[in-house]
Amino acid sequence: MSAVLTVNAFETFSQLLKARSGLVIGQDKTYLLETRLAAILRREKLPDLNALAERLRRPGADALTRDIVEAMTTNESFFFRDDKPFQHFRAQALPRLIAARGPGVGLRVWSAASSSGQEAYSLAMILTECKAALGTRKVDIVGTDIAREQLTRAKEGLYTQFEVQRGLPVQMLMRYFRKEEANWRIADSLRAMAQFREFNLLGDLRPLGMFDVVFCRNVLIYFDQDTKKRVLEAIAAQMTADGLLYLGGAETVLGITAKFAPVPGERGVYGLASTQRERRPLAVGAA
Amino acid sequence: MARTCLIVDDSRVVRKIARRILETNGFDVAEAPDGQQALESCRASMPDCVLLDWNMPVMDGISFLKHLRAEFGPDNPPVVFCTTENDMSHIEMAITCGAQEYIMKPFDEEILVSKFSQAGLL
């Protein structure tokens, strides 16, 4: 049986995670530390979390720190998660964004905290299906995450049999995947549409450029109020005047920031508040 | 009134697992151990959907599906394959012959529910 986590050790982990990723771990969530860091304990041949915290306080623990942040912030992802946001993106957002832009003006879509890439590739499938409406315009999908291992997986676009059966209709599997031994590889055409970059949502978002659509789903729930506000307002600064933000079902901007306004009748979909739209470009995508 | 699902699989264990999941999700369940008995079951009382194994004695799943579509039309009832056959050629054949969705075994409740949702059954 593992030793009880000391107050000092808990503080080490909670401060580290808050500073590096925004993740807030309450005292009631210490089981998450135990389950998610178990593999690191085994690898480092450490008896318990107290010993791991002690190791973190020593110099030269940068790689270990990174591994811990990755292990704690990796969240499950699946294709077309919750379905509704993707339906809205396809049926409402895309036609409106296309209509508001000239024929040569491209679109930029951001999958924030893209994990192993399923969200970005779900968007790529929709955009491919809407090719006729998009015409010759260029579409960029940018997936970002702080977890390098997940970014590598996303770039590879290789998924298990289990993963391609969660949320993905069989017609999409037939159209956009090929079997590689026991796994399924996403089509090269979709991989070419999406680029994945290491990026921390707590950092300066400006180098990412401006976006017409942002999917930032099931990320804010792990942040405290101040961090939510900071991240949401930084995202708002990277959005075009008519851009749309998609949050997770349990997330909202209400009571956190006035920079966004809900899209009426659409849970989890937000546009910039009217006060924010002034002096914003309508479109930024390259032709 | 609860919707009905006919589970067609020669494995009693698979039928039992699928039955538990489907009943939990509001279905009334009937069972058949092969395609021939499944066809007779459909003729007697048409289910709202079918969960269908591929490899079975007497009549396999794809033969059952072809008979079903020839006798009762192209779309009804919806059929979800559930099989260890996990290559693209089997998937394409199943869809071409009129299946609505395809589950590759092993499966769990999440996959079955996801696939039934994709097929518009949940």
Side-chain angles (χ1 to χ4, degrees):
Chain A
M1 204 172 122
S2 60
V4 174
L5 187 66
T6 66
V7 174
N8 266 353
F10 175 78
E11 286 299 317
T12 300
F13 289 118
S14 66
Q15 285 171 17
L16 167 89
L17 291 166
K18 173 83 192 300
R20 297 293 184 106
S21 69
L23 181 68
V24 175
I25 293 274
Q27 290 272 13
D28 57 330
K29 295 281 171 60
T30 53
Y31 69 91
L32 274 178
L33 292 168
E34 285 163 11
T35 52
R36 293 197 171 198
L37 301 182
I40 293 176
L41 286 181
R42 280 196 299 276
R43 189 192 70 196
E44 299 294 319
K45 297 186 170 53
L46 293 169
D48 53 42
L49 291 171
N50 297 324
L52 183 60
E54 178 59 35
R55 179 77 63 86
L56 279 175
R57 293 188 207 107
R58 292 188 208 160
D62 288 353
L64 187 60
T65 299
R66 166 171 285 286
D67 290 346
I68 288 169
V69 172
E70 282 208 21
M72 292 303 299
T73 55
T74 296
N75 294 305
E76 67 167 8
S77 177
F78 43 97
F79 293 101
F80 297 99
R81 184 174 184 177
D82 301 333
D83 200 33
K84 274 207 163 172
F86 296 95
Q87 284 182 24
H88 183 272
F89 172 70
R90 179 185 195 139
Q92 308 289 328
L94 263 185
R96 190 166 62 68
L97 291 168
I98 290 168
R101 286 152 177 75
V105 181
L107 290 172
R108 297 193 78 229
V109 181
W110 179 17
S111 169
S114 54
S115 190
S116 39
Q118 286 95 325
E119 182 177 81
Y121 288 131
S122 299
L123 295 165
M125 286 181 232
I126 292 171
L127 289 160
T128 303
E129 308 266 307
C130 298
K131 207 173 177 62
L134 285 163
T136 56
R137 77 185 70 229
K138 190 171 179 290
V139 179
D140 288 328
I141 300 168
V142 179
T144 63
D145 207 288
I146 54 172
R148 287 180 185 173
E149 199 178 315
Q150 295 302 313
L151 287 163
T152 303
R153 282 207 65 212
K155 286 175 192 168
E156 287 174 347
L158 193 63
Y159 298 97
T160 65
Q161 182 170 293
F162 183 72
E163 287 170 321
V164 297
Q165 297 199 89
R166 297 171 84 198
L168 187 71
V170 70
Q171 300 284 359
M172 295 287 205
L173 180 76
M174 291 163 63
R175 218 170 290 156
Y176 298 114
F177 288 80
R178 64 176 187 275
K179 189 116 190 266
E180 279 190 15
E181 296 179 358
N183 295 315
W184 294 82
R185 175 88 66 186
I186 201 136
D188 292 343
S189 59
L190 298 194
R191 285 170 74 194
M193 289 171 73
Q195 52 163 301
F196 293 94
R197 296 168 60 176
E198 185 180 345
F199 219 89
N200 191 333
L201 284 175
L202 304 187
D204 180 3
L205 303 185
R206 288 172 297 182
L208 289 172
M210 301 292 282
F211 292 95
D212 303 288
V213 176
V214 179
F215 272 65
C216 185
R217 308 190 62 240
N218 308 302
V219 180
L220 299 175
I221 42 172
Y222 300 107
F223 296 163
D224 62 21
Q225 288 294 95
D226 288 346
T227 310
K228 283 177 188 171
K229 180 180 170 68
R230 180 175 144 200
V231 170
L232 280 169
E233 295 188 349
I235 289 173
Q238 300 311 121
M239 289 178 57
T240 54
D242 61 349
L244 288 171
L245 168 69
Y246 292 83
L247 297 181
E251 298 167 328
T252 182
V253 303
L254 300 174
I256 300 170
T257 175
K259 292 195 186 279
F260 287 100
V263 172
E266 300 293 343
R267 190 175 176 183
V269 190
Y270 301 88
L272 287 176
S274 54
T275 51
Q276 299 300 311
R277 294 185 184 181
E278 296 159 16
R279 290 172 302 185
R280 287 293 177 91
L282 181 64
V284 291
Chain B
M1 206 167 93
R3 286 196 287 179
T4 54
C5 182
L6 175 63
I7 301 171
V8 190
D9 199 303
D10 58 336
S11 163
R12 193 176 294 171
V13 174
V14 171
R15 293 202 305 268
K16 189 177 174 185
I17 293 167
R19 171 185 279 274
R20 184 187 54 76
I21 295 170
L22 289 169
E23 285 181 344
T24 304
N25 284 277
F27 282 91
D28 280 343
V29 170
E31 297 181 20
D34 61 66
Q36 184 61 50
Q37 288 192 43
L39 209 50
E40 286 160 16
S41 175
C42 288
R43 286 175 186 140
S45 174
M46 185 60 79
D48 293 316
C49 59
V50 178
L51 184 70
L52 181 62
D53 189 17
W54 195 296
N55 299 302
M56 293 177 288
V58 187
M59 182 189 284
D60 66 17
I62 200 73
S63 302
F64 162 79
L65 179 59
K66 287 175 184 171
H67 280 290
L68 184 77
R69 294 301 183 228
E71 204 170 322
F72 297 103
D75 300 315
N76 203 44
V79 169
V80 177
F81 255 103
C82 185
T83 169
T84 53
E85 299 294 353
N86 61 2
D87 58 274
M88 194 61 99
S89 61
H90 277 86
I91 296 172
E92 284 170 349
M93 191 192 297
I95 301 303
T96 304
C97 289
Q100 273 65 31
E101 261 297 346
Y102 198 99
I103 295 170
M104 294 174 272
K105 289 176 182 171
F107 66 98
D108 62 7
E109 178 163 4
E110 192 177 354
I111 288 175
L112 201 148
V113 167
S114 170
K115 289 296 183 178
F116 267 56
S117 299
Q118 296 296 346
L121 299 167
L122 278 173

